[in-house]
Amino acid sequence: MPTHEGRYDLIDTIRGIAIVSMVIFHCCYDIFMVYGRDPSWYSQPAVHVWQQSICWTFILVSGFVWPWGRSGNVKRGIMLNVWGLVISGVTVLLMPAQAVWFGILNCIGCAVLLMIALEPVLKRIPAAIGVLAAFALFMVFRNAQLGYLEWPGVFRLGLPAWLYDCHVLTPFGFPFPGFRSSDYFPILPWLFLYICGYFLNRIVMAIRPLQSVARYGVAPLSAVGRYSIWIYLIHQPVCMLACELLFGSA
């Protein structure tokens, strides 16, 4: 963390809340979807909001803490991508119907590395303008994987079909026809949300009262937040084992 006074426990607490919510969500997903207890569960609007709240939190917090880890960001970005590829390999072998291609770890890992190149430009942008512009771009690109850019009620711009014919562009948010992934977080639009977190850090660090507030957290949750990557890596096998014991083969 950036000072000798200790960590910003509120950030760890927020991350801890997100990881607990994610574990519960994935347990529900395994029960209702993988083990077929209620296949309509995932299509419910409240479930979509829940899922989005988890991934938004992780990506925003990851962008927020990026400036505090500059010296280790190359290693961190590479390792997140390696773990993402491990998850892809495991799911392809063990659960091909639920295979993960370019999931959230690959998304965050690529964002960590891309920020190294982008920061010289981003640091010239006032933080308040930066967070608004990045969020606006995030919203515009939300449906890029569906073939268009959009600001609801203002415009819709169709994207050229050739973007979706090139397999190598799938990680960037332009999936090829027939592409399937149970956890797909392409660089676009999610990089823009990551950049929002970066600018939010600059805003908080510029306002001393906000820095003071960020020192306070909830001890059990902040402890969980500090180990979020390891919990992420082990929770799904544990959930699947529990479901196997309870329900038998999927």
Side-chain angles (χ1 to χ4, degrees), residues 161-228:
W162 63 264
L163 288 172
Y164 303 88
D165 293 332
C166 185
H167 285 41
V168 297
L169 294 181
T170 294
F172 292 91
F174 311 107
F176 60 87
F179 172 78
R180 290 183 60 188
S181 175
S182 63
D183 184 42
Y184 177 50
F185 284 86
I187 292 170
L188 299 175
W190 297 103
L191 176 63
F192 294 122
L193 193 64
Y194 192 93
I195 292 171
C196 281
Y198 165 83
F199 282 118
L200 286 172
N201 177 290
R202 285 175 47 187
I203 291 171
V204 170
M205 292 298 102
I207 303 173
R208 188 170 295 275
L210 292 181
Q211 290 186 47
S212 299
V213 170
R215 295 289 184 188
Y216 295 91
V218 179
L221 288 171
S222 63
V224 169
R226 288 195 291 272
Y227 296 98
S228 58

Side-chain angles (χ1 to χ4, degrees), residues 78-207:
I78 292 172
M79 288 307 301
L80 286 169
N81 275 295
V82 168
W83 282 120
L85 292 173
V86 169
I87 289 174
S88 293
V90 170
T91 54
V92 167
L93 290 174
L94 301 182
M95 298 186 300
Q98 301 292 328
V100 173
W101 297 105
F102 211 83
I104 195 166
L105 290 187
N106 287 119
C107 176
I108 294 176
C110 287
V112 170
L113 297 174
L114 287 169
M115 281 294 295
I116 297 171
L118 292 174
E119 193 193 19
V121 175
L122 296 177
K123 68 182 181 181
R124 299 173 181 271
I125 301 172
I129 294 175
V131 74
L132 291 174
F135 187 75
L137 288 168
F138 170 69
M139 295 302 295
V140 167
F141 276 83
R142 280 300 301 278
N143 292 311
Q145 61 186 282
L146 300 179
Y148 58 90
L149 307 182
E150 179 184 38
W151 189 271
V154 179
F155 73 88
R156 176 180 286 197
L157 176 64
L159 294 170
W162 63 264
L163 288 172
Y164 303 88
D165 293 332
C166 185
H167 285 41
V168 297
L169 294 181
T170 294
F172 292 91
F174 311 107
F176 60 87
F179 172 78
R180 290 183 60 188
S181 175
S182 63
D183 184 42
Y184 177 50
F185 284 86
I187 292 170
L188 299 175
W190 297 103
L191 176 63
F192 294 122
L193 193 64
Y194 192 93
I195 292 171
C196 281
Y198 165 83
F199 282 118
L200 286 172
N201 177 290
R202 285 175 47 187
I203 291 171
V204 170
M205 292 298 102
I207 303 173

Side-chain angles (χ1 to χ4, degrees), residues 21-22 25 41-57 142 185 190:
S21 182
M22 182 201 67
F25 179 89
W41 174 81
Y42 194 66
S43 62
Q44 298 176 27
V47 172
H48 177 72
V49 171
W50 182 14
Q51 186 260 354
Q52 290 292 293
S53 72
I54 297 167
C55 60
W56 279 44
T57 301
R142 280 300 301 278
F185 284 86
W190 297 103

